[in-house]
Amino acid sequence: MDLNKLGQGSIEIPEDILILHVEQPLLQLVEFVYPAYINNVTCGGSFDDGTILCPTTEYVDEVNEFILSLVPENEVTYLSSDTPYESDEQENAQAEWFTIEFLNAIKCSGILNHCVKLKVRVPITLLRNIDQANRLCNGTRLQLTHLWKNVIDAKVITGKNIGDQIFIPRMNLTPSES
């Protein structure tokens, strides 16, 4: 049976990049991808050349929580203010389906989590184009420098505007079409 016809295949991964039977595989992964990060969390440039890719959002959460645990700063929790968007059509059905609890439980690629935990010095990646003129676009990496109640203060660590200090205010995301 040809696996390629089923949309499946196999890849050979070189042994020198495999993490084999260790007590703390996540720690070894972080040390491999970001060697300067473990030794000096304040070091600029620690995140320029590597990215940890995960197959599911559950693994993304696990890796993010682990890296966050390595930073000796106070954690700040940001919660979304999820509200169902009221459309003229089927308001009764929407009220039943899209409860606040349902919206807060959604975890999938492209939709921000209801609860985001951050620490100063931690790198983040923008998931939205927030200021294209200033190159603050999807994929831009930032290092957090201060966490306020409604504003995040960060320094750009990749791209042409490395070192720029930026402020990201709390934003409402509303659909442009009903």
Side-chain angles (χ1 to χ4, degrees), residues 149-164:
K149 182 178 178 181
N150 292 309
V151 177
I152 294 173
D153 184 355
K155 180 175 63 172
V156 178
I157 59 174
T158 59
K160 292 186 178 181
N161 52 344
I162 290 177
D164 286 1

Side-chain angles (χ1 to χ4, degrees), residues 46 74 107:
S46 300
N74 292 330
K107 285 192 173 193

Side-chain angles (χ1 to χ4, degrees), residues 68 78 117-124 142-147 152-155 157 165 168:
L68 204 61
Y78 292 94
K117 296 176 182 179
L118 300 172
K119 291 183 180 182
V120 170
R121 300 183 184 159
V122 169
I124 62 171
L142 310 167
Q143 188 167 26
L144 302 175
T145 55
H146 198 89
L147 301 169
I152 294 173
D153 184 355
K155 180 175 63 172
I157 59 174
Q165 202 71 22
I168 304 171

